[in-house]
Amino acid sequence: MAVHTYLVADLATNRILAEVPLTTVRYGKKLGGTGQVSATLNLGDPRVQAEDPADLTTPARRVVYVLRDDVPVWGGLVWTRRYDSANQRISLGCGDFWSYYDHRKVLLKLDPAKYTDLGYIAHLDPVDLEEMDQNEIARRLIAGAALHDGGDIGVIPDATMSGVITSRAYFGFQNVSVGDALRKLSQVAGGPDMYFDVGPLDAAGRPSRRLRLGDPSLGQQGSPHVWEFGGNMVSYTWPSDGTRMATRVFADGSGFESVINRKPLTPHATAPSAPLANKPKQTTAAATAAATASLCRSRRRSQTARMAGTRAHSHAQCLDAWRRRRNRQIAALDAVERCGRAGERVRHHAPRVGAGALHVLRGR
């Protein structure tokens, strides 16, 4: 398993100040931008107590190097720190050397005697970089930043050439940072890939500071690798799922209405490739259009039959009730006639016979 060590150095001189036991370290490089590191320094560790943690974590003055098996893999400035008195820890936020050049301006060497002139920067001559290779422009930007007092932090650009000739001009009133100028140079069509990196240890045990320049590309061409894990992979799983495989794929058409109106549904299918031609078909839809149409016709016949049966049954019930009511009315009229012949008063029975019954009697 790889062993990581962490060194703290001075930004200006690159002198190694201490090896520190950082924890919860996460680091990464970024093409065309600033790579970052986040880490925690435990002040309760005896190795930390033997040093001056306040000085070792001073923002904008200290550099953190990450070594993997004694090989430098990352380097950058401490920009933020957060002290937690309850847990006795310092949380660090670092950015690689691109972040340093985000704080430097593209300007000619300045005269300190003119700092009191408010229009001094705006009226400076431009930094003209005409008709030269893109990578040479990047090198000139780094060299221009190093010309200013205290501006040389020992970054060494690659000597590669991109093969693309172009020109740039940077005026003082534009207030352009070196980091932004490099970023925009790399983002144009055909621009060179670039990122800040660290090189092998020198004789004094100090990592070198590098600017990697592509010609115009760096690393793998085509689709990039995708890194999903934050550490070394010692094992893996490889699932295969047949439920997601199909030789034919069906999609819904215009919907259920087209089946009701007897409009055929046309399934959309992909033809199987040559290696799958002899394999059994695997349908992903619930049913084909023909089966759907047949099912709809069957359901319609069933519903029609149920509705017809209900109407016939209701009609038969109404007819039987009418016949029973008519028979009762006829029997009542017969009783009235018999009572009349016997001289009885019929008015007590007349109310039992309605007009409808008399109408039925006359029509019989």
Side-chain angles (χ1 to χ4, degrees), residues 275-298:
L276 299 177
N278 297 326
K279 292 189 176 183
K281 303 298 183 185
Q282 302 173 10
T283 302
T284 59
T288 61
T292 304
S294 175
L295 178 62
C296 292
R297 288 195 296 271
S298 175

Side-chain angles (χ1 to χ4, degrees), residues 39-276:
T40 301
L41 185 64
N42 187 357
L43 300 182
D45 193 307
R47 294 170 293 178
V48 176
Q49 293 175 351
E51 304 290 344
D52 184 355
D55 179 71
L56 294 178
T57 60
T58 303
R61 291 185 56 190
R62 297 296 177 247
V63 170
V64 171
Y65 290 114
V66 179
L67 281 65
R68 184 176 186 268
D69 292 335
D70 295 328
V71 176
V73 294
W74 194 93
L77 287 75
V78 176
W79 285 112
T80 64
R81 68 178 175 188
R82 182 174 181 272
Y83 171 58
D84 185 347
S85 62
N87 295 317
Q88 289 294 293
R89 293 176 181 175
I90 297 177
S91 299
L92 300 178
C94 309
D96 67 19
F97 296 109
W98 200 308
S99 64
Y100 169 77
Y101 290 101
D102 281 332
H103 291 78
R104 301 299 310 277
K105 301 298 181 181
V106 183
L107 297 171
L108 296 175
K109 186 174 175 59
L110 301 179
D111 183 359
K114 297 182 180 180
Y115 286 171
T116 56
D117 182 1
L118 298 181
Y120 175 48
I121 300 299
H123 293 92
L124 278 175
D125 291 335
V127 177
D128 282 323
L129 304 172
E130 297 182 356
E131 295 299 317
M132 60 183 66
D133 190 273
Q134 296 177 116
N135 289 10
E136 182 60 26
I137 292 178
R139 286 188 284 268
R140 295 283 184 93
L141 290 172
I142 298 298
L147 289 176
H148 294 261
D149 294 339
D152 187 1
I153 61 171
V155 172
I156 304 172
D158 287 348
T160 57
M161 305 296 282
S162 69
V164 178
I165 304 301
T166 187
S167 299
R168 292 290 188 275
Y170 303 96
F171 292 85
F173 61 82
Q174 291 178 316
N175 198 31
V176 179
S177 70
V178 176
D180 196 39
L182 291 172
R183 192 174 293 109
K184 290 181 177 179
L185 184 65
S186 69
Q187 290 174 348
V188 299
D193 289 344
M194 62 179 73
Y195 70 95
F196 285 84
D197 198 8
V198 288
L201 300 175
D202 61 14
R206 301 173 300 182
S208 58
R209 303 169 180 177
R210 308 297 300 269
L211 171 60
R212 305 294 185 185
L213 295 171
D215 53 359
S217 300
L218 288 170
Q220 173 196 353
Q221 305 304 306
S223 300
H225 293 302
V226 178
W227 305 106
E228 298 181 356
F229 304 101
N232 298 324
M233 184 172 63
V234 296
S235 65
Y236 64 91
T237 59
W238 191 280
S240 298
D241 188 352
T243 63
R244 294 177 175 269
M245 300 177 183
T247 55
R248 295 191 300 179
V249 179
F250 292 81
D252 292 336
S254 57
F256 190 71
E257 289 294 333
S258 62
V259 180
I260 295 296
N261 296 330
R262 297 177 181 271
K263 295 179 182 179
L265 291 174
T266 303
H268 298 275
T270 57
S273 58
L276 299 177

Side-chain angles (χ1 to χ4, degrees), residues 319-333 356-357 359-361 363-364:
L319 183 61
D320 290 343
W322 178 80
R323 286 174 177 171
R324 288 194 299 270
R325 186 169 59 254
R326 188 191 64 171
N327 292 337
R328 288 196 300 270
Q329 292 169 347
I330 292 172
L333 289 174
H359 175 75
V360 173
L361 180 64
R364 184 175 55 177

